[in-house]
Amino acid sequence: MALTAAHVAWTGPHRAGLRRHRDRALENGPYAMPVEEILTCVHGIRAWRAFHGGVELVTDTLGAKYAAEQGLDVLYDRVNTALDALDELDIDPLFYFAAGKSHLATLRRAPFAVIDTDLYLRSPIEGLDRGGFVFAHWESTGNAVYPPVAEVPNQGGADLSRWVFDTPAANMAISVFLDDEHRAAYAAASMEFMTGNAAPSATDPLVRQTFAEQRLAPAVARALGIDLRPVTGRFWIVEAERWDGPPHAGLFHHTWHHKRILRDHPELRPAYWRYLLEDLLWTFPDTYDLLMSAPGLGECAELIRRTRRDLEADGPSLLDWRKR
């Protein structure tokens, strides 16, 4: 099924003082993506285009400038600065760092997809012709990240009684909206919940953002009778911080679960870059010139050159998932 996807990059959190992913390496610098996310971003665009269709960048003026400076803009079908409008809304970017994704859902009609810039597909998503709502995987609730609905701060007074909260949380690093009624209702509910809802609370600050996406999207779907389907049966147990279920490595790669490790152990970054580079350059070797020209990848230019030489000589050495 041909389907357009969007990368969403809202710089509002950075401009408000929340450094990207709380990345210590970027705390005091200008807006930027860390090396590992530039690599996954490039891979994500190329993989989606190979499997499903076009990709656009939905961002704001600063995000568009950064994409052009890195040479990433040429990979997209278009660059849209619609997220400039978020600055006029009463949505606190320090709580709702991914509000751009919900805002985009107010602007598009289904079908369309959103993929996070830190994720790339390794195979096509199956069953898109069946409609419904497709997302990355389930995550457990009843924990510090996903507390009971009654404990979620709702200082804006959003009406949550319309929705059915009887499923786990839906990880939306992949979000495929195939039903327009669900898309519209979810977008409205998410924006309503985030608006004016930023007063201090005892809950983890992450709770409000995860609720606005990963609890509301499936709850709205359940209320409307919309089919819910994860890309993988892999299940993330939040409280135990471990996976359960079948391997998903052949379906997609997501950097999210590596970010805390990289923050705490920055010395591991080059090894992870090597892994991402092997996967990208083995699958899409023609991205080499773009990688070498991106200023944000300057610190790993020699690693890029060495990885290409090694792949040409011996093939990949780190991609164990390909052997499964």
Side-chain angles (χ1 to χ4, degrees), residues 307-324:
T307 301
R308 185 173 76 160
R309 289 197 302 266
D310 292 348
L311 288 172
E312 290 175 343
D314 303 308
S317 61
L318 300 174
L319 306 182
D320 291 342
W321 67 272
R322 289 181 177 272
K323 300 173 184 177
R324 298 191 178 101

PDB file of all heavy atoms in Angstrom, residues 307-324:
ATOM      1  N   THR A 307      33.933   2.397   7.874  1.00  0.00           N
ATOM      2  CA  THR A 307      32.814   1.460   7.795  1.00  0.00           C
ATOM      3  C   THR A 307      32.537   1.067   6.348  1.00  0.00           C
ATOM      4  O   THR A 307      32.318  -0.113   6.041  1.00  0.00           O
ATOM      5  CB  THR A 307      31.560   2.078   8.438  1.00  0.00           C
ATOM      6  OG1 THR A 307      31.833   2.400   9.809  1.00  0.00           O
ATOM      7  CG2 THR A 307      30.387   1.103   8.373  1.00  0.00           C
ATOM      8  N   ARG A 308      32.558   2.038   5.448  1.00  0.00           N
ATOM      9  CA  ARG A 308      32.333   1.708   4.045  1.00  0.00           C
ATOM     10  C   ARG A 308      33.429   0.781   3.521  1.00  0.00           C
ATOM     11  O   ARG A 308      33.137  -0.202   2.816  1.00  0.00           O
ATOM     12  CB  ARG A 308      32.257   2.965   3.183  1.00  0.00           C
ATOM     13  CG  ARG A 308      31.909   2.615   1.730  1.00  0.00           C
ATOM     14  CD  ARG A 308      31.654   3.807   0.867  1.00  0.00           C
ATOM     15  NE  ARG A 308      32.891   4.486   0.474  1.00  0.00           N
ATOM     16  CZ  ARG A 308      32.977   5.305  -0.582  1.00  0.00           C
ATOM     17  NH1 ARG A 308      31.902   5.553  -1.333  1.00  0.00           N
ATOM     18  NH2 ARG A 308      34.108   5.903  -0.865  1.00  0.00           N
ATOM     19  N   ARG A 309      34.679   1.062   3.851  1.00  0.00           N
ATOM     20  CA  ARG A 309      35.772   0.188   3.404  1.00  0.00           C
ATOM     21  C   ARG A 309      35.595  -1.228   3.918  1.00  0.00           C
ATOM     22  O   ARG A 309      35.753  -2.202   3.187  1.00  0.00           O
ATOM     23  CB  ARG A 309      37.121   0.749   3.867  1.00  0.00           C
ATOM     24  CG  ARG A 309      37.582   2.006   3.159  1.00  0.00           C
ATOM     25  CD  ARG A 309      39.069   2.235   3.371  1.00  0.00           C
ATOM     26  NE  ARG A 309      39.401   2.326   4.787  1.00  0.00           N
ATOM     27  CZ  ARG A 309      39.487   3.477   5.469  1.00  0.00           C
ATOM     28  NH1 ARG A 309      39.231   4.637   4.847  1.00  0.00           N
ATOM     29  NH2 ARG A 309      39.814   3.495   6.739  1.00  0.00           N
ATOM     30  N   ASP A 310      35.247  -1.348   5.203  1.00  0.00           N
ATOM     31  CA  ASP A 310      35.081  -2.674   5.801  1.00  0.00           C
ATOM     32  C   ASP A 310      33.902  -3.432   5.182  1.00  0.00           C
ATOM     33  O   ASP A 310      33.983  -4.653   4.962  1.00  0.00           O
ATOM     34  CB  ASP A 310      34.876  -2.545   7.311  1.00  0.00           C
ATOM     35  CG  ASP A 310      36.118  -2.049   8.036  1.00  0.00           C
ATOM     36  OD1 ASP A 310      37.198  -2.030   7.407  1.00  0.00           O
ATOM     37  OD2 ASP A 310      36.002  -1.656   9.215  1.00  0.00           O
ATOM     38  N   LEU A 311      32.821  -2.721   4.914  1.00  0.00           N
ATOM     39  CA  LEU A 311      31.664  -3.367   4.296  1.00  0.00           C
ATOM     40  C   LEU A 311      32.005  -3.865   2.895  1.00  0.00           C
ATOM     41  O   LEU A 311      31.610  -4.975   2.498  1.00  0.00           O
ATOM     42  CB  LEU A 311      30.481  -2.401   4.238  1.00  0.00           C
ATOM     43  CG  LEU A 311      29.793  -2.084   5.569  1.00  0.00           C
ATOM     44  CD1 LEU A 311      28.761  -0.967   5.366  1.00  0.00           C
ATOM     45  CD2 LEU A 311      29.113  -3.315   6.153  1.00  0.00           C
ATOM     46  N   GLU A 312      32.718  -3.046   2.143  1.00  0.00           N
ATOM     47  CA  GLU A 312      33.100  -3.454   0.794  1.00  0.00           C
ATOM     48  C   GLU A 312      34.033  -4.657   0.815  1.00  0.00           C
ATOM     49  O   GLU A 312      33.972  -5.521  -0.067  1.00  0.00           O
ATOM     50  CB  GLU A 312      33.765  -2.278   0.069  1.00  0.00           C
ATOM     51  CG  GLU A 312      32.796  -1.152  -0.272  1.00  0.00           C
ATOM     52  CD  GLU A 312      33.492   0.060  -0.873  1.00  0.00           C
ATOM     53  OE1 GLU A 312      34.739   0.158  -0.731  1.00  0.00           O
ATOM     54  OE2 GLU A 312      32.800   0.909  -1.457  1.00  0.00           O
ATOM     55  N   ALA A 313      34.877  -4.735   1.843  1.00  0.00           N
ATOM     56  CA  ALA A 313      35.846  -5.832   1.914  1.00  0.00           C
ATOM     57  C   ALA A 313      35.257  -7.105   2.499  1.00  0.00           C
ATOM     58  O   ALA A 313      35.498  -8.213   1.993  1.00  0.00           O
ATOM     59  CB  ALA A 313      37.056  -5.388   2.738  1.00  0.00           C
ATOM     60  N   ASP A 314      34.472  -6.962   3.577  1.00  0.00           N
ATOM     61  CA  ASP A 314      34.061  -8.142   4.335  1.00  0.00           C
ATOM     62  C   ASP A 314      32.568  -8.238   4.629  1.00  0.00           C
ATOM     63  O   ASP A 314      32.129  -9.227   5.225  1.00  0.00           O
ATOM     64  CB  ASP A 314      34.812  -8.181   5.669  1.00  0.00           C
ATOM     65  CG  ASP A 314      36.323  -8.181   5.481  1.00  0.00           C
ATOM     66  OD1 ASP A 314      36.812  -9.019   4.712  1.00  0.00           O
ATOM     67  OD2 ASP A 314      36.992  -7.315   6.082  1.00  0.00           O
ATOM     68  N   GLY A 315      31.791  -7.228   4.275  1.00  0.00           N
ATOM     69  CA  GLY A 315      30.376  -7.242   4.630  1.00  0.00           C
ATOM     70  C   GLY A 315      30.168  -6.827   6.073  1.00  0.00           C
ATOM     71  O   GLY A 315      31.116  -6.527   6.800  1.00  0.00           O
ATOM     72  N   PRO A 316      28.927  -6.823   6.549  1.00  0.00           N
ATOM     73  CA  PRO A 316      28.633  -6.364   7.920  1.00  0.00           C
ATOM     74  C   PRO A 316      29.144  -7.328   8.977  1.00  0.00           C
ATOM     75  O   PRO A 316      29.134  -8.551   8.776  1.00  0.00           O
ATOM     76  CB  PRO A 316      27.106  -6.262   7.944  1.00  0.00           C
ATOM     77  CG  PRO A 316      26.645  -7.185   6.859  1.00  0.00           C
ATOM     78  CD  PRO A 316      27.698  -7.171   5.804  1.00  0.00           C
ATOM     79  N   SER A 317      29.584  -6.768  10.092  1.00  0.00           N
ATOM     80  CA  SER A 317      30.097  -7.585  11.183  1.00  0.00           C
ATOM     81  C   SER A 317      29.229  -7.513  12.432  1.00  0.00           C
ATOM     82  O   SER A 317      29.357  -8.357  13.337  1.00  0.00           O
ATOM     83  CB  SER A 317      31.522  -7.135  11.551  1.00  0.00           C
ATOM     84  OG  SER A 317      31.521  -5.788  11.980  1.00  0.00           O
ATOM     85  N   LEU A 318      28.311  -6.520  12.517  1.00  0.00           N
ATOM     86  CA  LEU A 318      27.549  -6.295  13.749  1.00  0.00           C
ATOM     87  C   LEU A 318      26.066  -6.581  13.613  1.00  0.00           C
ATOM     88  O   LEU A 318      25.338  -6.501  14.602  1.00  0.00           O
ATOM     89  CB  LEU A 318      27.727  -4.835  14.213  1.00  0.00           C
ATOM     90  CG  LEU A 318      29.159  -4.394  14.513  1.00  0.00           C
ATOM     91  CD1 LEU A 318      29.184  -2.895  14.821  1.00  0.00           C
ATOM     92  CD2 LEU A 318      29.739  -5.183  15.669  1.00  0.00           C
ATOM     93  N   LEU A 319      25.590  -6.895  12.425  1.00  0.00           N
ATOM     94  CA  LEU A 319      24.151  -6.980  12.198  1.00  0.00           C
ATOM     95  C   LEU A 319      23.639  -8.393  12.431  1.00  0.00           C
ATOM     96  O   LEU A 319      23.196  -9.082  11.510  1.00  0.00           O
ATOM     97  CB  LEU A 319      23.818  -6.494  10.776  1.00  0.00           C
ATOM     98  CG  LEU A 319      24.349  -5.093  10.438  1.00  0.00           C
ATOM     99  CD1 LEU A 319      23.935  -4.694   9.029  1.00  0.00           C
ATOM    100  CD2 LEU A 319      23.892  -4.057  11.450  1.00  0.00           C
ATOM    101  N   ASP A 320      23.660  -8.812  13.683  1.00  0.00           N
ATOM    102  CA  ASP A 320      23.256 -10.173  14.013  1.00  0.00           C
ATOM    103  C   ASP A 320      21.800 -10.452  13.666  1.00  0.00           C
ATOM    104  O   ASP A 320      21.416 -11.610  13.416  1.00  0.00           O
ATOM    105  CB  ASP A 320      23.470 -10.449  15.511  1.00  0.00           C
ATOM    106  CG  ASP A 320      24.942 -10.505  15.869  1.00  0.00           C
ATOM    107  OD1 ASP A 320      25.767 -10.682  14.960  1.00  0.00           O
ATOM    108  OD2 ASP A 320      25.256 -10.367  17.064  1.00  0.00           O
ATOM    109  N   TRP A 321      20.935  -9.410  13.683  1.00  0.00           N
ATOM    110  CA  TRP A 321      19.516  -9.621  13.402  1.00  0.00           C
ATOM    111  C   TRP A 321      19.314 -10.191  11.999  1.00  0.00           C
ATOM    112  O   TRP A 321      18.323 -10.881  11.750  1.00  0.00           O
ATOM    113  CB  TRP A 321      18.745  -8.298  13.543  1.00  0.00           C
ATOM    114  CG  TRP A 321      19.095  -7.271  12.492  1.00  0.00           C
ATOM    115  CD1 TRP A 321      20.086  -6.348  12.543  1.00  0.00           C
ATOM    116  CD2 TRP A 321      18.459  -7.099  11.210  1.00  0.00           C
ATOM    117  NE1 TRP A 321      20.121  -5.591  11.386  1.00  0.00           N
ATOM    118  CE2 TRP A 321      19.104  -6.030  10.562  1.00  0.00           C
ATOM    119  CE3 TRP A 321      17.410  -7.726  10.563  1.00  0.00           C
ATOM    120  CZ2 TRP A 321      18.753  -5.596   9.303  1.00  0.00           C
ATOM    121  CZ3 TRP A 321      17.033  -7.286   9.305  1.00  0.00           C
ATOM    122  CH2 TRP A 321      17.695  -6.225   8.681  1.00  0.00           C
ATOM    123  N   ARG A 322      20.234  -9.936  11.083  1.00  0.00           N
ATOM    124  CA  ARG A 322      20.082 -10.424   9.713  1.00  0.00           C
ATOM    125  C   ARG A 322      20.242 -11.955   9.634  1.00  0.00           C
ATOM    126  O   ARG A 322      19.838 -12.577   8.666  1.00  0.00           O
ATOM    127  CB  ARG A 322      21.129  -9.779   8.797  1.00  0.00           C
ATOM    128  CG  ARG A 322      20.871  -8.301   8.535  1.00  0.00           C
ATOM    129  CD  ARG A 322      21.923  -7.735   7.601  1.00  0.00           C
ATOM    130  NE  ARG A 322      21.663  -6.339   7.281  1.00  0.00           N
ATOM    131  CZ  ARG A 322      20.900  -5.926   6.277  1.00  0.00           C
ATOM    132  NH1 ARG A 322      20.302  -6.811   5.503  1.00  0.00           N
ATOM    133  NH2 ARG A 322      20.717  -4.645   6.040  1.00  0.00           N
ATOM    134  N   LYS A 323      20.831 -12.547  10.665  1.00  0.00           N
ATOM    135  CA  LYS A 323      21.074 -13.986  10.646  1.00  0.00           C
ATOM    136  C   LYS A 323      19.850 -14.773  11.143  1.00  0.00           C
ATOM    137  O   LYS A 323      19.833 -15.984  11.046  1.00  0.00           O
ATOM    138  CB  LYS A 323      22.269 -14.315  11.542  1.00  0.00           C
ATOM    139  CG  LYS A 323      23.548 -13.613  11.097  1.00  0.00           C
ATOM    140  CD  LYS A 323      24.677 -13.831  12.109  1.00  0.00           C
ATOM    141  CE  LYS A 323      25.928 -13.047  11.735  1.00  0.00           C
ATOM    142  NZ  LYS A 323      26.991 -13.175  12.727  1.00  0.00           N
ATOM    143  N   ARG A 324      18.869 -14.052  11.697  1.00  0.00           N
ATOM    144  CA  ARG A 324      17.713 -14.748  12.273  1.00  0.00           C
ATOM    145  C   ARG A 324      16.712 -15.148  11.202  1.00  0.00           C
ATOM    146  O   ARG A 324      16.604 -14.504  10.188  1.00  0.00           O
ATOM    147  CB  ARG A 324      17.036 -13.879  13.331  1.00  0.00           C
ATOM    148  CG  ARG A 324      17.965 -13.563  14.522  1.00  0.00           C
ATOM    149  CD  ARG A 324      17.160 -12.947  15.645  1.00  0.00           C
ATOM    150  NE  ARG A 324      18.014 -12.687  16.791  1.00  0.00           N
ATOM    151  CZ  ARG A 324      18.489 -11.473  17.086  1.00  0.00           C
ATOM    152  NH1 ARG A 324      18.175 -10.451  16.337  1.00  0.00           N
ATOM    153  NH2 ARG A 324      19.261 -11.287  18.146  1.00  0.00           N
TER     154      ARG A 324
END
